[in-house]
């Protein structure tokens, strides 16, 4: 690991009550893990885009998150 601060994001899936409340409205947060980006929608046309060192969907397990993102940092600190 190169010594810089690294940031990852994982968005949790919506809860059932949230899904019911939003109904057919499109989600406010859209993840693009393949390009490590999260889009926060302000309305139907505009959104803000944020880049991260890694972007994990809500279905990502703790183990996978640790192995892919955290483990390299921990190992470099312990050297």
């Amino acid at each position: 690991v190169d010594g810089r601060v690294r940031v990852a994001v994982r968005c949790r899936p919506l809860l059932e009550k949230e899904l019911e409340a939003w109904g057919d409205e499109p989600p406010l947060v859209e993840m693009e893990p393949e390009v490590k980006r999260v889009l926060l929608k302000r309305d139907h046309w505009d959104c803000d885009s944020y880049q991260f060192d890694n972007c994990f969907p809500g279905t990502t397990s703790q183990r996978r998150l640790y192995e892919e993102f955290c483990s390299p940092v921990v190992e470099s600190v312990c050297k």
Side-chain angles (χ1 to χ4, degrees), residues 44-57:
H44 291 289
W45 299 276
D46 293 321
C47 68
D48 296 318
S49 174
Y50 298 94
Q51 291 286 146
F52 295 92
D53 293 301
N54 222 322
C55 181
F56 297 95

Side-chain angles (χ1 to χ4, degrees), residues 13-30:
L14 292 176
L15 301 172
E16 183 147 344
K17 67 180 179 181
E18 293 168 326
L19 290 170
E20 292 171 4
W22 286 103
D24 293 335
E25 289 291 317
L28 298 175
V29 177
E30 184 176 318

